[in-house]
Amino acid sequence: MEHEITEQDGALIVGFSGDVDLQSSPDARKILLECVARKMPVLVDLSKVNYIDSSGIASLVESLQTARKAGGSLLLVSVSEAALRVLELARLDKVFTICGTIDEGLASL
Amino acid sequence: MEKTTVQSSAIGTYEERISGHLELLSTMGQDFATSLDIDETLRQGLARITDYVGAEGGALFLLDEKGEKLTCTACVGETEITGLTLNSDEGIVGRCVQLDVGEIVRDVSTDPNFQNSVDAQTGYTTRSILCAPMSVKEERIGAIELVNKRTGDGLFDEHDLHLLRSLSSSAALATKNARMAEALVEQERVRRELELAAEIQRGLLPDAGDDSFPIHGVNCPARTVSGDFYDFFPLDDGRICFNLGDVSGKGMNAALLMAKTASLFRCLGKTIHQPGRLLSMINDEICETVTRGMFVTMAGGIYDPKTGIVRLANAGHEPPLFYAGDGSFKAIPAEAPPLGISPLLTGDDGIPEIEFNLDGGTLYIFTDGVTEGYLEDGSELESEGLMKILVDKAADPVMARLQTVIDCIHRKNVALRDDLTLLAIDDGLNKAERPEQTDDRETMATENIFHVNFPSQPDRLKLVRSAVFDTAKMCGCSETVARDIVIAVDEACQNVIRHAYKGSPDGKIILDISRDGDSIVLSLRDFADPVDVDRVKPRELDDIRPGGLGTHFIREIMDEVDFLTPPEDDGNILRMVKRIE
């Protein structure tokens, strides 16, 4: 799993690529929670995620909860088909705000 | 009412007096026997005797229910004291009632028990009193008091007391009869209300299905209403939701809590299909409103006629018995306290669930009224007795089995000790309609496609995923289905690494993929300590802890998921089947 963090229009964009699985999800969790702690809106770009498992989903949920508790926001943008399937299986596709592109995500903030 | 013709007793010969007494008694006896208004009849009787004895006034006092106060309920003469209340040991009336002896007080001024406060209030001068107690056997009811004789020497005599006693005895009896009649009417009213309540309660129980329906229940209340209940209803997906509960106590309060709990289950059970979460929600609801000290034990679950699988949650209820058909029973003990005790006790996860396959067997849920019911010889049926009947009658239709149990305890003319309730989920007929999976497995040719042996290390999962994806496609799965299968296998491997091997990297995992007719079969073998299959359950979706969510994914994706016991009884085998469309 690789990741990249950029800042745009006062928001943090975290892009993951590759597989977010049992091996890499502890790193993904750490990265997400650090971004949330910066008190800026967080857009998680999942367009390059080939695979995400239940532990990766758990990291996303934990980050969303942490952000909401602090009054912040966390959205998912450009969710790949593989990631969307797992979100659907977990019935979380309605829990997260999911936007088609980064621009749509920024506009919705 | 006819005016009395009886004349004063002081006049006439002894014979005339006796005849006059008898006539008076007979008139009053008739009045008492025919009266519908006891107060009015007592007032008339008092007037007759006051007149007959020739007293200036008369008063009738009744003792209250607690025996603490005497109240004047009827009064004749110049002074009106109706409503006057005395302590039950106060005054001459009080003494008369306490000692249950009639008395003549010729001169009240020399009697320390005389209450002259009434005279002080009314300006009347009481000189002489005749008082007779009203009692039936040992039961004190009140007393009749006459004051100041108008005729003769102005003094009451033994004849007067004798006569008054006759009146007071019949007045006492009439009062007691009237009270009993009133109590009977009240009892009858309560009985009718209870029957109405029982009718509504019976309406809460589900209609019995025909013999082909897999779930049957029976409920016999020990009293008119019951604290027990059961219910079952089909869900949209063909599964059947069922429950059986027992409210502490047996009276109307238990019946009302039963109605509430049963309604909550039926209403919430239609949308919440996780029995543990459902029971936990009912617990919270009951805790908010229940009367202190009342609670409900409940076993509730969902049965799938297509697979025979039952998911069950047990909150403090008598362990249900699962009969596999081979003569042995398995008890399923409660994993949580009864509902209504504390919202904290059922935990965040809800009440733990147990999932198992009936596989043609029967699950029996029952209340302790059954196991603690008395048999003809006075002993209790107990679980052993219940199991014996169920084995002996195993060939009977399910309803007949339940009836046999009930008949043992609920015999003619024998009062039940407690409500009796039984529910049976019988998978026998549904199992007969399912294809014989076990035999298929053994007889049908299976084609081994892929076999891999790898260590319990997270970094190997990427390799496994890629192999599974390609193998699934090779078996004819679409890309979408192949991707789903990858998710299921990946999560299953994670569970082995994290839970079976507890993170140790030295564990050995074997994955076998084969094709079996139109299905792809994936077997995952580990060599860790056997897992308690009953405890592997999908967690709630809002509980995102790893492991639970993964198990949910596996069950969502796969058509069949079974834990098998390896041949050497070492480790675990998870067998997952996905039908290829």
Side-chain angles (χ1 to χ4, degrees), chain B residues 24-88:
Chain B
L24 172 70
L25 286 174
S26 133
T27 311
M28 291 195 305
Q30 267 177 22
D31 285 354
F32 285 136
T34 55
S35 166
L36 292 174
D37 180 351
I38 183 70
D39 293 337
E40 180 53 29
T41 312
L42 286 173
R43 207 168 4 253
Q44 276 178 10
L46 181 67
R48 284 185 210 281
I49 196 140
T50 306
D51 184 46
Y52 186 80
V53 173
E56 285 181 3
L60 189 141
F61 287 85
L62 291 180
L63 197 62
D64 69 3
E65 277 176 22
K66 292 180 186 162
E68 289 170 357
K69 300 278 179 198
L70 279 164
T71 303
C72 175
T73 58
C75 174
V76 291
E78 292 169 25
T79 315
E80 177 55 64
I81 57 161
T82 305
L84 175 78
T85 299
L86 303 170
N87 288 327
S88 64

Side-chain angles (χ1 to χ4, degrees), chain B residues 15-263:
Chain B
E15 285 75 17
E16 279 168 342
R17 263 184 13 206
I18 293 297
S19 142
H21 285 15
L22 286 175
E23 202 174 332
L24 172 70
L25 286 174
S26 133
T27 311
M28 291 195 305
Q30 267 177 22
D31 285 354
F32 285 136
T34 55
S35 166
L36 292 174
D37 180 351
I38 183 70
D39 293 337
E40 180 53 29
T41 312
L42 286 173
R43 207 168 4 253
Q44 276 178 10
L46 181 67
R48 284 185 210 281
I49 196 140
T50 306
D51 184 46
Y52 186 80
V53 173
E56 285 181 3
L60 189 141
F61 287 85
L62 291 180
L63 197 62
D64 69 3
E65 277 176 22
K66 292 180 186 162
E68 289 170 357
K69 300 278 179 198
L70 279 164
T71 303
C72 175
T73 58
C75 174
V76 291
E78 292 169 25
T79 315
E80 177 55 64
I81 57 161
T82 305
L84 175 78
T85 299
L86 303 170
N87 288 327
S88 64
D89 55 355
E90 205 178 335
I92 291 160
V93 186
R95 185 170 67 194
C96 177
V97 168
Q98 292 305 325
L99 303 176
D100 197 23
V101 174
E103 60 179 302
I104 305 166
V105 181
R106 286 178 172 253
D107 183 357
V108 294
S109 62
T110 62
D111 192 296
N113 272 5
F114 179 63
Q115 296 286 115
N116 59 8
S117 60
V118 178
D119 282 6
Q121 279 174 41
T122 58
Y124 183 81
T125 308
T126 302
R127 294 185 304 275
S128 178
I129 287 179
L130 188 63
C131 192
M134 287 166 66
S135 62
V136 177
K137 290 186 182 160
E138 298 293 292
E139 188 184 339
R140 283 156 200 188
I141 289 170
I144 298 176
E145 189 177 60
L146 301 183
V147 291
N148 296 358
K149 189 158 175 171
R150 200 181 269 145
T151 56
D153 56 2
L155 300 173
F156 291 118
D157 64 16
E158 286 295 328
H159 288 295
D160 300 327
L161 181 59
H162 194 64
L163 194 61
L164 186 60
R165 288 226 59 157
S166 312
L167 168 72
S168 70
S169 300
S170 24
L173 198 60
T175 308
K176 186 175 163 68
N177 285 344
R179 284 179 181 173
M180 276 168 63
E182 213 169 273
L184 271 177
V185 169
E186 177 62 13
Q187 258 178 34
E188 178 63 14
R189 192 186 62 78
V190 170
R191 194 184 62 80
R192 274 196 205 142
E193 295 215 333
L194 273 176
E195 265 174 17
L196 281 176
E199 199 179 310
I200 289 176
Q201 219 179 15
R202 280 191 295 274
L204 293 175
L205 298 176
D207 293 335
D210 60 28
D211 282 348
S212 65
F213 195 75
I215 304 187
H216 289 268
V218 58
N219 165 256
C220 292
R223 302 185 191 169
T224 317
V225 291
S226 176
D228 286 3
F229 60 97
Y230 68 86
D231 197 5
F232 47 80
F233 47 88
L235 301 174
D236 292 341
D237 59 9
R239 292 186 297 168
I240 305 167
C241 190
F242 61 87
N243 75 338
L244 183 143
D246 184 355
V247 179
S248 56
K250 286 187 277 293
M252 188 49 99
N253 51 354
L256 287 171
L257 183 54
M258 167 270 176
K260 173 176 176 148
T261 313
S263 310

Side-chain angles (χ1 to χ4, degrees), chain B residues 287-404:
Chain B
C287 284
E288 272 182 31
T289 52
V290 82
T291 315
R292 220 164 230 290
M294 290 191 77
F295 57 86
V296 187
T297 68
M298 187 194 267
I302 292 179
Y303 161 69
D304 188 348
K306 288 201 281 285
T307 58
I309 289 172
V310 159
R311 247 171 109 174
L312 186 77
N314 183 350
H317 195 77
E318 177 102 346
L321 291 170
F322 170 51
Y323 180 62
D326 58 0
S328 72
F329 282 88
K330 186 184 173 202
I332 300 153
E335 301 275 355
L339 309 177
I341 290 181
S342 165
L344 304 172
L345 290 176
T346 53
D348 297 337
D349 293 350
I351 289 168
E353 288 172 5
I354 285 170
E355 187 174 284
F356 56 100
N357 198 325
L358 294 184
D359 198 26
T362 308
L363 178 66
Y364 294 98
I365 311 176
F366 46 87
T367 54
D368 54 9
V370 175
T371 41
E372 290 170 9
Y374 288 131
L375 297 172
E376 205 151 12
D377 63 5
S379 63
E380 291 183 4
L381 177 65
E382 298 188 350
S383 299
E384 288 69 29
L386 176 62
M387 289 190 273
K388 187 175 180 310
I389 296 174
L390 296 174
V391 172
D392 289 350
K393 302 287 172 187
D396 289 359
V398 60
M399 201 56 210
R401 271 175 265 161
L402 299 186
Q403 199 54 51
T404 307

